[in-house]
Amino acid sequence: MKFRKLGNTGEQLSAVGLGCMGMSFAYGPADEQESISTLHKALDLGVNFWDTADMYADGENEKLISKVLVPNRDKIFIATKFGFRFKDGKPSHSGAPGTYFDGSPEWIKKAVDLSLQRLKIDTIDLYYAHRVDPNIPVEETVGAMAELVKAGKVKYLGLSEASAESIRKANKIHPITALQSEYSILTRDVENEILPTIRELGITLVPYSPLARGLFANINDVQNFGDEDFRKTLPRYQEEYLENNRNLAREINELAQSKGIKGTQLALAWVLNQGEDIIPIPGTKRIKYLEENIEAVNIDLSSSDLETIDVLLKKYPNVGERYTEGSMKLVNN
């Protein structure tokens, strides 16, 4: 495993982290035994940066992780997130009608204790606001988060899907260590304002969905997605964009094959090649895919490779939005 520094903290994290959401939520049926085996394998492979959130299956993902986290606490840098709540108590994705965001100081105090209880630990290494609450000043949210650092409940603070303006405001209240945002070959919005801003401030980018939600591996299998797989609702898997994305995935996979790797590995290597201050967290619940993802840390892409990828994106530009309209409303841009 290769390692990268987290912001200005001196923490050394695996260059590829592990997104744990899919083990309990959003991508089809859960398999606890398989997920726990994958978590143990991640440890064996040196993946010390694990990511979860309190909304993933309404806390069940944190409980699952605790079974491996607790006996291996000194080997794992754990990140979790707060903010999404469910009106009817039924877990769902961010754009669902019953899901809303709460970045209030009152909820933060409760949410952190609930996460600590589920994770069965005393301190969360990296605690993110899962979004920026449109109804509460970000300074107020981060001020309450800073109190958690003083109390020893949290080591470092992060934001997720925050604008450059929000990041600057937040960082004046308390140092922000990491920004988690979607970033991949297909989703490059952060390159305009956000990436330059966090680089100026010494904040690490933690891309989620760096494999474009498995598009390069699964675009031809969308018809086989189960009802529990929320990708069925995403524009990129809808008819209007499906043909474009199938053609793009085919050519990306052909490029990868010419290099003796998989399309998913090429996609992850692309993200890793964008800078040493970027630590992607591809999600998986299977050992096979975990091992494939780890191999991407050793893939160097030439300037010619990067140019070829850009040409393909221009050839197939109609990729569609990354989220539904409802979910995009909570992206602070």
Side-chain angles (χ1 to χ4, degrees):
M1 175 54 65
K2 294 180 180 178
F3 294 85
R4 293 183 169 183
K5 190 175 77 168
L6 177 67
N8 296 315
T9 67
E11 301 277 359
Q12 293 290 318
L13 304 187
S14 49
V16 172
L18 177 61
C20 299
M21 179 182 78
M23 295 179 176
S24 310
F25 177 73
Y27 292 126
D31 185 328
E32 182 172 317
Q33 185 175 352
E34 185 173 29
S35 294
I36 287 176
S37 295
T38 301
L39 290 169
H40 280 294
K41 187 65 176 180
L43 277 180
D44 294 341
L45 294 172
V47 180
N48 67 353
F49 183 27
W50 297 5
D51 180 89
T52 182
D54 59 4
M55 81 167 296
Y56 299 159
D58 200 14
E60 290 303 313
N61 193 240
E62 290 179 325
K63 291 178 183 178
L64 171 71
I65 288 170
S66 74
K67 296 179 181 181
V68 182
L69 172 64
V70 172
N72 296 282
R73 185 66 187 96
D74 60 337
K75 301 175 185 175
I76 301 163
F77 187 96
I78 189 70
T80 192
K81 302 178 282 293
F82 74 89
F84 280 113
R85 303 180 68 181
F86 310 113
K87 290 178 182 176
D88 57 3
K90 183 180 179 181
S92 191
H93 56 83
S94 60
T99 304
Y100 67 103
F101 193 81
D102 186 351
S104 67
E106 295 77 18
W107 176 242
I108 291 168
K109 292 174 186 176
K110 295 176 183 177
V112 71
D113 286 339
L114 290 169
S115 283
L116 287 167
Q117 289 168 20
R118 288 187 292 258
L119 291 166
K120 298 181 181 177
I121 56 177
D122 298 321
T123 305
I124 294 164
D125 296 313
L126 175 58
Y127 200 45
Y128 294 99
H130 211 153
R131 291 291 186 274
V132 174
D133 193 323
N135 302 310
I136 295 174
V138 70
E139 297 94 330
E140 195 173 322
T141 297
V142 174
M145 294 170 70
E147 292 299 318
L148 305 181
V149 178
K150 290 180 183 177
K153 295 181 178 182
V154 171
K155 282 187 182 178
Y156 308 112
L157 302 186
L159 298 176
S160 179
E161 294 289 5
S163 68
E165 181 182 2
S166 293
I167 293 163
R168 289 188 184 279
K169 288 179 179 178
N171 199 61
K172 287 179 180 178
I173 303 300
H174 188 280
I176 300 299
T177 296
L179 173 74
Q180 185 173 132
S181 288
E182 186 167 352
Y183 185 46
S184 69
I185 287 176
L186 294 190
T187 302
R188 299 173 62 172
D189 307 357
V190 299
E191 292 177 350
N192 299 324
E193 277 190 279
I194 293 170
L195 195 51
T197 298
I198 63 176
R199 282 182 165 155
E200 175 193 330
L201 299 173
I203 298 169
T204 293
L205 178 65
V206 178
Y208 71 86
S209 299
L211 305 181
R213 301 195 186 276
L215 186 142
F216 302 112
N218 299 305
I219 192 65
N220 292 319
D221 297 325
V222 62
Q223 69 276 7
N224 298 323
F225 289 170
D227 292 338
E228 296 174 341
D229 196 318
F230 100 115
R231 287 176 295 182
K232 291 178 73 172
T233 70
L234 299 180
R236 288 177 178 170
Y237 285 93
Q238 303 304 315
E239 286 302 327
E240 184 180 354
Y241 307 105
L242 205 53
E243 183 178 358
N244 178 89
N245 292 337
R246 278 184 172 140
N247 288 329
L248 174 60
R250 174 177 50 77
E251 294 214 33
I252 288 288
N253 286 324
E254 287 172 357
L255 174 61
Q257 190 174 12
S258 73
K259 297 177 66 64
I261 59 177
K262 294 181 177 293
T264 51
Q265 292 174 317
L266 177 65
L268 187 52
W270 182 92
V271 174
L272 287 163
N273 274 261
Q274 301 308 304
E276 287 290 318
D277 55 352
I278 296 175
I279 306 176
I281 49 168
T284 187
K285 51 188 173 183
R286 295 184 176 88
I287 289 175
K288 173 188 174 183
Y289 301 126
L290 173 71
E291 291 175 333
E292 288 179 1
N293 291 342
I294 299 310
E295 290 173 10
V297 302
N298 297 313
I299 298 172
D300 290 319
L301 300 180
S302 67
S303 56
S304 176
D305 293 328
L306 298 174
E307 288 171 11
T308 299
I309 290 169
D310 284 339
V311 167
L312 291 178
L313 291 172
K314 290 173 183 175
K315 184 178 178 181
Y316 301 108
N318 198 28
V319 297
E321 282 283 5
R322 59 191 177 104
Y323 273 134
T324 61
E325 184 178 350
S327 292
M328 284 302 295
K329 287 178 180 178
L330 282 168
V331 172
N332 180 229
N333 49 29

